[in-house]
Amino acid sequence: MATPDDDFRLTPEAVKVLAHPLRSRLLGALRRGGPATATTLATTLSTNSGATSYHLRKLESVGLVTDTGEGAGKQRLWRAATSSHSWERTELAHDEDAATALGWLERDYLRLFSTEFGHWLDVAETWPDDWQDATGMGDTWVTANPEQLQALRAELHDLFERYRATEPGPGARRVTFWHALYPLEADAVPTGQDDAVPDGTAPGQEPS
């Protein structure tokens, strides 16, 4: 799977640290807002600076955030160590605690998406018409095997990297794009490499 050049691959130790409500939000806040102090982050996340300082140090211990060396104490300036993180489920499956932590983290991201997109729906009508028409949601499906899905993810990565490298147009705003790939028939667990898909076509082929 293609990932950004500064992507952080979660280790069992890192996922166990990150799977915490405040730590996950702290990392997200630093990636979105840039370097910040524990005091600023506490205000942003409606908590106290003592808690943010403690959890920032936990994130630092596994390489997810970095002390910039500026400031001291609660005015120390922290930044995210990378712009993203990724994982392979099978790399973490051998560690029961890591697998449990990953399950919590993935569901936390699902809750975060629901919250953020729900907020957009609450305020969408206050935005200009062109923004309302340009945003939205949808779903589609393809018939593919795991190798083809990896290729699809790589193509999506390349597409977004191309837009990252493009100069923003007039009136540009940051937007987020959530995506998830999962089997349409999730209960039809494969039993062999040559399983046909439920409609009778071979993996990767469209029905005739």
Side-chain angles (χ1 to χ4, degrees):
M1 179 184 69
T3 55
D5 291 338
D6 68 340
D7 181 75
F8 183 97
R9 177 58 65 89
L10 290 180
T11 62
E13 293 72 23
V15 74
K16 283 182 276 190
V17 167
L18 185 57
H20 180 282
L22 182 53
R23 293 172 197 163
S24 180
R25 299 295 182 266
L26 284 168
L27 181 58
L30 288 172
R31 284 183 175 154
R32 292 186 179 196
T37 66
T39 301
T40 300
L41 291 165
T43 300
T44 300
L45 300 177
S46 301
T47 184
N48 64 78
S49 57
T52 55
S53 293
Y54 170 78
H55 291 298
L56 284 165
R57 289 193 295 272
K58 295 294 288 185
L59 290 168
E60 181 187 33
S61 72
V62 292
L64 284 165
V65 305
T66 301
D67 180 350
T68 66
E70 301 178 41
K74 294 177 182 178
Q75 298 309 310
R76 181 180 301 168
L77 199 64
W78 298 87
R79 66 172 177 84
T82 62
S83 66
S84 69
H85 58 268
S86 62
W87 60 87
E88 296 289 348
R89 297 181 64 87
T90 53
E91 290 181 1
L92 303 173
H94 69 280
D95 185 319
E96 183 176 352
D97 290 338
T100 300
L102 179 61
W104 181 92
L105 191 63
E106 290 176 321
R107 292 182 183 277
D108 187 54
Y109 291 152
L110 177 60
R111 290 188 289 267
L112 178 61
F113 166 71
S114 179
T115 298
E116 291 191 344
F117 189 63
H119 178 65
W120 161 249
L121 296 178
D122 290 340
V123 304
E125 292 183 356
T126 67
W127 280 64
D129 290 351
D130 56 347
W131 275 98
Q132 293 189 52
D133 292 339
T135 59
M137 67 183 302
D139 70 293
T140 187
W141 61 270
V142 298
T143 303
N145 63 21
E147 292 74 18
Q148 290 168 320
L149 288 182
Q150 292 282 14
L152 174 58
R153 295 175 72 177
E155 288 185 47
L156 287 172
H157 167 264
D158 291 342
L159 174 64
F160 281 103
E161 286 302 298
R162 189 164 74 245
Y163 273 87
R164 290 180 199 274
T166 300
E167 186 70 22
R173 297 288 189 276
R174 292 194 300 177
V175 299
T176 185
F177 182 90
W178 291 75
H179 67 88
L181 294 173
Y182 58 93
L184 194 61
E185 293 84 11
D187 293 324
V189 181
T191 57
Q193 291 297 319
D194 297 323
D195 279 2
V197 294
D199 62 12
T201 61
Q205 295 180 336
E206 293 296 336
S208 58

